[in-house]
Amino acid sequence: MKAPAEKSFEEKKKIHDKGIEEGAAQLTQEKVHQVVQQMLSAEGGARLKAYIETCSHCGLCSEACHYYLSNDNNPIYSPAGKVKQTIGEIVKKKGKVSVDFIKEACEISFTECNLCRRCVMYCPFGIDVAYMMLFMRRICHKLGVVPQYIQDTAHSHSATLNQMWVKEDEWIDTLQWQEEEAQDEFPDLRIPIEKEGADIFYSVIGPEPKFRAQLIYQMAVIMYASGADWTMPATPGWDNSDMCMYTGDVEMVARLKKVHFETAMRLKNKRIVMGECGHAFRSVHDVGNRFLGWKMAPLPVVHAIEFYYELLRDRKIRIKNKLSQPVTFHDPCNIVRGRGLHEMGRYVINETCKTFIEMHPNREHNFCCAAGGGVINCGPPFRNKRVTGNRVKADQLAEAKKKGAEIVIAPCHNCHGGLEDIIKHYELGMELKFLGDILYEVMEK
Amino acid sequence: MHAIYEIISGPMVWLAFGIFILGSLYRLFSMGRLALKKDAVVFSYMSIYYALRSIVHWIVPFASVNMRKHPVMTLVAFVFHICLFVVPIFLFAHIIMIHEAWQINWVYIPNLAADVMTLAVIGACIFFFCRRLILPEVRYLTTYSDFLILAGVAAPFITGFWSFHQYPGHVAAGILHILSGEIILVMIPFTRLSHMLFFPFTRGYAGSEFGGVRNAKDW
Ligand code: SF4
Ligand code: SF4
Ligand code: SF4
């Protein structure tokens, strides 16, 4: 049936992306049919079928999605609405869709859904729209129609096993450089490289050595002050991030996670501690293991929040002076809906900050930052859509600011990127920090 | 008229129940087999405890955040689904027929209650119909088949009410009642009404992943 909203769907501004355009230019109608049908029969299993057939078109998932809410309740942005325009249509037409359709579906699945899974908690049937959007992305990947920026990142993963084309010597140099910097403050501090049998295998995401080396410095100080037995590897496998998980390249996902796990196991480390990143945690804890055929990761995987929580709980780190500026906390989907770390996050904040102001809704019901799920990695062409598509987050932040919050804590790299753009665009004038920034600032060193 | 009645109230009842039961079993088994073949992870992560934890939160009225956000819809949906099952199973007239055929019977609800519940189902169908037309987010998702299904569900209740109260044309209404009842039974396994069969699995799986892997609530 022709709903009024379909008009705005047609009018939606087309965004030009080289990866999508040039990928689509290589395709013919026949090729699309062939690849899509092959995908449906090879990988379109019971989950896809049950989800599509069970959805009773009730629309109750709509208000779960920040894109829907931020775009004045436009139904084309509702979770089920996005399914209808993408994989739903593909299943209905048994794969007989056009090249133009694929371009549109690519843009929707890559840049209008953060795979944040909030809608699963709003659909009475627990239909996982993120799963279906990922299925759509996988079809796009197979067709070679993927936004250029994120595909470049995926290429970097394939070529270097890290996200940022960091070469092996650059990696080691960065660690040694941070060690030297830190030794100015703490002469006997070390960043132990390749230490066999250490308790902790510490891994980070590619952008840390590239753009935010001070985070490695901070963690080194935290490890030093708490007396942790830790190490970082000198070989590929140090990067725990995973954009291939978001481009639908599951073969690469398996390769990346295998190297990461095997590096920790080669060093006989007892557990993996990861920096403050949501998507990397998702890939290690929830996704990569599946494609490797393991139910769970082969050794314990601990996100930074949980690690800080342990340090504070066990009094391995002591706090000098709590932070005096009032803070608020953004719950990153991938470690809250993805791991239930929200209470530990609050524990760490209450131990380190004087005044904590909640945003609403929070915990499992938080709104995503709209950067996640690889959306921010699709780059500048989609930036405006991403920022205007998350007005509700800006409202949440503004509300917290009104109550006095000056600092937003977001323990996830993607969230940082997303929230930074939102804070700038909506002129919120709030400061953004990692939990580690705060812990480093207030701890006894 | 009598011959038609004989057929639809005799062999066709058997056929309808047969298709409903075998069709449902077929759908469940074939879905299970497909899952085994292509989504083996589903079986690894499915956890009875977390599945039930989630299902309970979604079959108890107002136990989930979203249900509380839409109180009218929640109320109507629960009343609708409860009456939908209670009326046909515990209707005096149905039990009598079964008793005459097989000498078995069970508790029945008073006719007045059955009347109220029947009207509730019809009212709920009208509510869903309006919702589909008025709310943009529902309208956008709605297809013609959704209206057909809605009509299919309402039909046995409207015709049943008609024939029970002996309104003009009640004989025809009686025949239509049985016929529409049979049609809806046959539709369950093969249309969106199959959400009745798959609900425990989709919800249960969401609950299992949220609870077992992600240590989080899903309601
Ligand atoms: S962005 Fe989140 S809430 Fe919206 S459709 Fe995607 S997974 Fe669902
Ligand atoms: S809430 Fe669930 S059943 Fe309803 S439209 Fe959304 S996905 Fe479909
Ligand atoms: S970037 Fe942050 S808020 Fe957004 S999906 Fe990832 S974890 Fe969620």
Side-chain angles (χ1 to χ4, degrees), chain A residues 114 116 278-279 330-334 366-373 412 414-415:
Chain A
N114 299 104
C116 77
H279 96 271
H330 166 74
D331 287 284
C333 330
N334 282 324
N366 76 314
F367 284 122
C368 172
C369 63
C412 162
N414 269 324
C415 303

Side-chain angles (χ1 to χ4, degrees), chain A residues 352-389:
Chain A
T352 53
C353 303
K354 277 197 185 125
T355 320
F356 171 45
I357 294 159
E358 282 282 7
M359 272 195 272
H360 295 278
N362 54 44
R363 297 179 165 85
E364 281 108 332
H365 287 269
N366 76 314
F367 284 122
C368 172
C369 63
V375 174
I376 195 170
N377 310 77
C378 292
F382 304 98
R383 184 186 165 279
N384 279 346
K385 175 152 83 171
R386 165 166 60 79
V387 175
T388 51

Side-chain angles (χ1 to χ4, degrees), chain A residues 23-283:
Chain A
Q26 316 274 327
L27 291 172
T28 60
Q29 187 102 347
E30 291 67 48
K31 181 87 188 157
V32 171
H33 295 179
Q34 186 206 333
V35 172
V36 175
Q37 279 165 350
Q38 195 191 343
M39 263 298 290
L40 286 177
S41 68
E43 295 178 25
R47 279 185 81 183
L48 183 68
K49 206 173 158 78
Y51 287 154
I52 298 245
E53 289 182 23
T54 303
C55 173
S56 57
H57 300 164
C58 67
L60 285 170
C61 51
S62 310
E63 282 165 36
C65 187
H66 46 285
Y67 283 103
Y68 171 83
L69 295 170
S70 304
N71 285 294
D72 303 317
N73 296 358
N74 187 340
I76 63 171
Y77 293 104
S78 80
K82 286 177 270 198
V83 172
K84 174 187 156 127
Q85 297 167 69
T86 56
I87 188 73
E89 184 74 5
I90 284 184
V91 169
K92 197 166 109 193
K93 294 215 171 132
K94 301 201 167 54
K96 290 211 158 28
V97 292
S98 66
V99 178
D100 280 341
F101 176 90
I102 292 295
K103 278 163 58 178
E104 191 70 47
C106 173
E107 188 180 326
I108 294 170
S109 61
F110 273 91
T111 70
E112 292 170 19
C113 174
N114 299 104
L115 314 175
C116 77
R117 301 198 189 104
R118 191 171 193 262
C119 44
V120 182
M121 303 192 309
Y122 286 74
C123 168
F125 301 101
I127 289 174
D128 191 344
V129 172
Y131 171 84
M132 288 194 274
M133 289 297 124
L134 266 173
F135 197 88
M136 187 65 234
R137 291 188 189 186
R138 174 129 172 96
I139 291 177
C140 293
H141 162 73
K142 289 269 182 181
L143 287 166
V145 181
V146 174
Q148 187 191 20
Y149 277 79
I150 193 169
Q151 187 56 54
D152 179 62
T153 317
H155 285 328
S156 167
H157 276 305
S158 326
T160 65
L161 297 172
N162 74 70
Q163 201 193 127
M164 289 280 139
W165 303 96
V166 178
K167 296 199 198 80
E168 240 173 286
D169 54 341
E170 287 172 345
W171 162 247
I172 298 168
D173 278 353
T174 307
L175 295 184
Q176 290 181 339
W177 163 46
Q178 289 310 309
E179 182 180 74
E180 275 168 32
E181 295 268 302
Q183 279 172 348
D184 286 346
E185 235 183 315
F186 314 98
D188 54 347
L189 179 149
R190 296 292 319 274
I191 295 183
I193 297 178
E194 290 284 309
K195 182 175 174 193
E196 232 182 66
D199 285 342
I200 294 168
F201 174 91
Y202 182 59
S203 63
V204 295
I205 64 170
E208 284 206 22
K210 194 93 180 174
F211 308 118
R212 295 191 199 244
Q214 90 280 5
L215 292 176
I216 296 175
Y217 174 111
Q218 282 177 8
M219 193 49 127
V221 174
I222 293 171
M223 293 284 185
Y224 170 75
S226 64
D229 177 21
W230 69 301
T231 189
M232 292 181 97
T235 58
W238 56 264
D239 182 1
N240 52 30
S241 74
D242 194 344
M243 274 307 131
C244 301
M245 167 173 80
Y246 290 148
T247 60
D249 187 352
V250 300
E251 290 79 6
M252 263 314 294
V253 172
R255 241 186 95 202
L256 289 171
K257 293 309 107 172
K258 187 161 181 273
V259 173
H260 181 244
F261 288 136
E262 282 184 352
T263 307
M265 290 161 94
R266 171 175 63 77
L267 291 173
K268 303 189 176 67
N269 300 133
K270 303 205 174 55
R271 57 181 188 155
I272 297 174
V273 172
M274 311 178 57
E276 293 180 51
C277 181
H279 96 271
F281 186 79
R282 176 181 186 146
S283 88

Side-chain angles (χ1 to χ4, degrees), chain B residues 1 5 8 159 162-163 167-179:
Chain B
M1 206 69 129
Y5 183 81
I8 61 160
T159 51
W162 197 284
S163 87
Y167 297 141
H170 63 86
V171 181
I175 289 177
L176 285 177
H177 172 67
I178 305 173
L179 196 63

Side-chain angles (χ1 to χ4, degrees), chain B:
Chain B
M1 206 69 129
H2 196 72
I4 300 176
Y5 183 81
E6 285 290 304
I7 294 172
I8 61 160
S9 67
M12 276 187 50
V13 177
W14 286 104
L15 195 66
F17 270 100
I19 295 177
F20 164 60
I21 292 167
L22 293 178
S24 298
L25 288 176
Y26 166 75
R27 289 302 319 270
L28 287 174
F29 273 113
S30 63
M31 198 62 98
R33 250 194 35 212
L34 186 62
L36 211 50
K37 218 168 102 196
K38 291 192 201 158
D39 315 74
V41 288
V42 168
F43 293 92
S44 318
Y45 290 116
M46 196 63 117
S47 131
I48 303 278
Y49 170 76
Y50 288 117
L52 286 176
R53 187 179 79 157
S54 175
I55 290 169
V56 166
H57 276 92
W58 285 91
I59 57 169
V60 173
F62 299 103
S64 70
V65 169
N66 206 19
M67 284 192 228
R68 295 196 285 274
K69 283 187 128 189
H70 299 96
V72 180
M73 175 64 180
T74 303
L75 203 69
V76 175
F78 271 95
V79 168
F80 169 78
H81 282 97
I82 292 167
C83 296
L84 197 66
F85 285 96
V86 169
V87 175
I89 297 175
F90 299 103
L91 187 76
F92 184 63
H94 287 176
I95 296 174
I96 282 288
M97 285 196 296
I98 287 168
H99 182 77
E100 278 170 7
W102 297 312
Q103 277 72 52
I104 49 167
N105 53 314
W106 53 85
V107 287
Y108 57 86
I109 49 171
N111 283 338
L112 180 65
D115 263 358
V116 172
M117 291 173 102
T118 302
L119 290 174
V121 171
I122 298 168
C125 287
I126 295 170
F127 174 84
F128 293 144
F129 179 76
C130 295
R131 211 176 158 266
R132 288 211 178 279
L133 287 186
I134 296 165
L135 297 186
E137 76 272 26
V138 192
R139 193 183 151 109
Y140 181 64
L141 300 174
T142 299
T143 57
Y144 288 115
S145 65
D146 292 314
F147 288 118
L148 275 179
I149 289 169
L150 206 49
V153 175
F157 288 85
I158 297 173
T159 51
F161 192 78
W162 197 284
S163 87
F164 180 77
H165 289 278
Q166 310 253 316
Y167 297 141
H170 63 86
V171 181
I175 289 177
L176 285 177
H177 172 67
I178 305 173
L179 196 63
S180 57
E182 289 161 358
I183 291 174
I184 199 78
L185 276 179
V186 171
M187 276 165 75
I188 289 174
F190 305 107
T191 63
R192 282 185 194 293
L193 293 174
S194 60
H195 70 245
M196 172 184 141
L197 307 174
F198 297 129
F199 168 80
F201 300 98
T202 54
R203 185 79 261 165
Y205 185 65
S208 301
E209 274 203 348
F210 265 71
V213 181
R214 305 188 192 124
N215 191 25
K217 302 184 298 187
D218 66 328
W219 53 85

